[in-house]
Amino acid sequence: MTEAADGRGPSGGATVTDDATMRRAVGAAAVGNITEWFDFGVYGYLSTTIEAQFFPPGNPALAQLATFATFAVAFLVRPLGGLFFGPLGDKIGRTKVLAVTVILMATGTFLIGLIPSYSSIGLAAPILLVCARVLQGFSTGGEYAGAMTFIAEYSPDRRRGYFGSFLEFGTFIGYALGATVSSVLPLVSTPAFMDTWGWRIPFMVALPLGIVGVYLRTKLEETPAFQQLLDESGKREDAEAKHVVRTIFAKYWPTMLLAGGLVVTWNVTNYMLTSYMPTYLKDDRTMSANGGQAISATAAEWLQIGVLWLGVLLIPLLGRLSDKVGRKPILWVGAGGLIVLGLPMVLLLKSGSLISVLLGLVLMGLLLICFSSTCPSTLPALFPTEVRYGGLSISFNIFVSAFAGTVSLVMSALVLATGDLKWPGYYLMIAGVVGVITLLKLKETAKKPLPGSSPSLSASEDAAARAGQ
């Protein structure tokens, strides 16, 4: 249960959250991320199957670009989802909106598993695939930033980095599970089954995950920060969402740019590893034509899966560390590492040696988790409570859509057009420069209350404070 302290002792005026409620809040937020990234993992690892199922045969390179373009189309509508769901979350509350976004997202993924193939219905197949991706993108526009807001507003100030890191813990678990299921299915089924129903199974798993997410989220009370806002200002339902949007763009555009810089650096690295690398490593056509050496599809998949599970183990540890040393030192390591190691990582990846590829993937994964462990607690702390969901949703989705979600499409096009396999390295270095510029302007947010909110303590911190008074 979450309660406002009654003024007795050192915790007077603070918000106190008991540990059981905190665990339920983290689980409710993380399950949506698991659902979202389970889909990404499945889509990335079954990209060649999706090419064959949904696009005309005869031109593999064009089919690959079409597959990545279909993946990217969801990002084109994410800002619309952010504009709709974000201000709505600041108007009617976090839990209501997040219950809607998680089930919409799961439904979109489930529907992909039901679409007939190109050989059955022709051009209607890719059109229906695009429609399902649009539904996913629109709902995701309100999901991720809302989940960040939700966990941040429930977390004690001194443990926000640790609890916030579980959002990306869910991301890595979702992607790793999707990748693992997609890699194991062909090993335990026949090619004929995979071509008909086998590839559909991972997409259909998303619906039960979404139902679990709705159940968990509807069982929680509103976040302490939003409840405090309600108590101070009356019913937020009477506020106009369009007024919230106008306020965000007029008053908080410098904050949105600051958030956008972090989002670009973090998510270019994220989508480079999780979306583009599975194809890059095993694309023998492109590699052999441009002086690189591909590795087998199986090796590429399992090496990356190993790196993802390594991230699952390390993200909470770095999140806890950020509560002690601050967010910025860890973010500096990530941004600086991209600049220094961006090109060497890609040279390792295109060598064709399993050891070199593993080292390159591990380096990229370690730099990624510098952001994944800290950004979920850093970004919500940039906005005050009354515009936190909306400001974060809008800025996050605009910058992800423009610069990160298109990574696979842009990299495929650049490598195909120039014949230069080092483009992923150049792109990562540019992302690192953006991160450095952002960090020069960013203030440390660790151990501080969220803007517009009372100090927040865990039940154990409150008990210790009362015992020591």
Side-chain angles (χ1 to χ4, degrees):
M1 180 178 181
T2 305
E3 56 184 18
D6 60 6
R8 296 173 297 177
S11 61
T15 297
V16 180
T17 305
D18 68 73
D19 295 340
T21 300
M22 190 66 242
R23 286 193 295 270
R24 290 199 304 274
V26 169
V31 73
N33 239 28
I34 292 173
T35 304
E36 176 185 357
W37 281 90
F38 182 86
D39 163 60
F40 285 160
V42 170
Y43 197 98
Y45 275 74
L46 293 180
S47 59
T48 54
T49 301
I50 290 171
E51 289 175 29
Q53 291 289 330
F54 292 110
F55 297 100
N59 193 330
L62 185 60
Q64 183 186 100
L65 284 177
T67 301
F68 284 138
T70 305
F71 180 81
V73 75
F75 291 90
L76 298 179
V77 297
R78 279 182 68 157
L80 298 178
L83 281 166
F84 178 79
F85 287 114
L88 190 63
D90 287 324
K91 178 184 175 184
I92 67 173
R94 290 38 168 145
T95 55
K96 296 175 184 175
V97 173
L98 285 172
V100 173
T101 58
V102 71
I103 196 62
L104 287 179
M105 191 168 56
T107 300
T109 304
F110 176 77
L111 290 175
I112 291 177
L114 299 180
I115 300 172
S117 66
Y118 180 87
S119 62
S120 299
I121 60 173
L123 287 176
I127 291 172
L128 290 173
L129 178 62
V130 168
C131 291
R133 293 290 297 157
V134 166
L135 178 59
Q136 288 175 317
F138 186 74
S139 56
T140 303
E143 167 64 30
Y144 190 77
M148 275 197 286
T149 299
F150 188 77
I151 290 184
E153 291 183 348
Y154 256 111
S155 299
D157 296 333
R158 291 185 173 273
R159 301 186 70 192
R160 188 168 292 116
Y162 174 66
F163 286 119
S165 70
F166 277 94
L167 189 61
E168 281 298 293
F169 179 84
T171 291
F172 273 64
I173 283 183
Y175 193 95
L177 282 175
T180 302
V181 169
S182 302
S183 298
V184 169
L185 267 176
L187 301 178
V188 298
S189 64
T190 64
F193 179 74
M194 277 300 297
D195 287 340
T196 53
W197 281 102
W199 70 269
R200 300 176 184 274
I201 294 173
F203 289 103
M204 294 180 174
V205 169
L207 189 58
L209 286 175
I211 293 171
V212 171
V214 170
Y215 175 79
L216 291 175
R217 290 175 178 185
T218 54
K219 292 298 180 181
L220 279 169
E221 299 173 1
E222 192 50 78
T223 67
F226 189 78
Q227 188 59 53
Q228 179 184 345
L229 188 65
L230 285 178
D231 294 341
E232 292 174 354
S233 61
K235 291 290 184 181
R236 292 287 291 174
E237 287 86 342
D238 296 334
E240 289 288 340
K242 63 182 180 181
H243 176 68
V244 175
V245 174
R246 188 164 57 244
T247 300
I248 290 168
F249 280 102
K251 186 175 179 180
Y252 295 100
W253 64 265
T255 307
M256 293 173 68
L257 290 177
L258 197 63
L262 274 183
V263 168
V264 167
T265 308
W266 172 19
N267 282 281
V268 164
T269 312
N270 186 9
Y271 288 100
M272 189 72 75
L273 176 65
T274 59
S275 177
Y276 183 59
M277 279 302 118
T279 299
Y280 179 82
L281 292 173
K282 62 188 181 185
D283 189 350
D284 188 58
R285 296 189 306 266
T286 304
M287 284 286 191
S288 59
N290 298 295
Q293 186 175 348
I295 61 176
S296 73
T298 302
E301 291 168 356
W302 287 108
L303 286 177
Q304 192 181 39
I305 288 170
V307 171
L308 292 170
W309 285 114
L310 176 64
V312 169
L313 297 175
L314 293 180
I315 283 175
L317 300 179
L318 279 183
R320 187 188 296 273
L321 180 64
S322 77
D323 286 327
K324 297 179 180 179
V325 304
R327 323 286 188 231
K328 289 186 68 174
I330 298 174
L331 290 168
W332 273 112
V333 171
L338 290 176
I339 296 173
V340 174
L341 297 174
L343 199 54
M345 283 188 298
V346 173
L347 293 175
L348 289 169
L349 292 171
K350 75 184 193 73
S351 68
S353 163
L354 291 181
I355 298 298
S356 297
V357 170
L358 177 60
L359 180 58
L361 289 175
V362 167
L363 288 173
M364 194 180 298
L366 290 175
L367 294 177
L368 171 59
I369 64 175
C370 289
F371 302 103
S372 298
S373 61
T374 53
C375 285
S377 53
T378 302
L379 291 170
L382 299 178
F383 296 92
T385 305
E386 62 267 21
V387 297
R388 183 171 295 124
Y389 198 156
L392 191 51
S393 290
I394 294 169
S395 54
F396 186 91
N397 287 294
I398 287 175
F399 284 94
V400 163
S401 299
F403 300 104
T406 55
V407 164
S408 293
L409 180 62
V410 171
M411 289 298 95
S412 293
L414 286 172
V415 170
L416 189 64
T418 65
D420 189 349
L421 293 170
K422 297 188 290 293
W423 262 108
Y426 305 147
Y427 217 63
L428 290 171
M429 292 171 69
I430 294 169
V433 171
V434 172
V436 166
I437 295 172
T438 303
L439 288 172
L440 291 173
K441 300 287 186 179
L442 186 71
K443 295 180 180 179
E444 182 59 68
T445 62
K447 303 178 183 179
K448 299 176 181 177
L450 293 171
S453 300
S454 300
S456 179
L457 303 174
S458 66
S460 56
E461 289 172 328
D462 180 48
R466 291 179 184 277
Q469 67 179 356

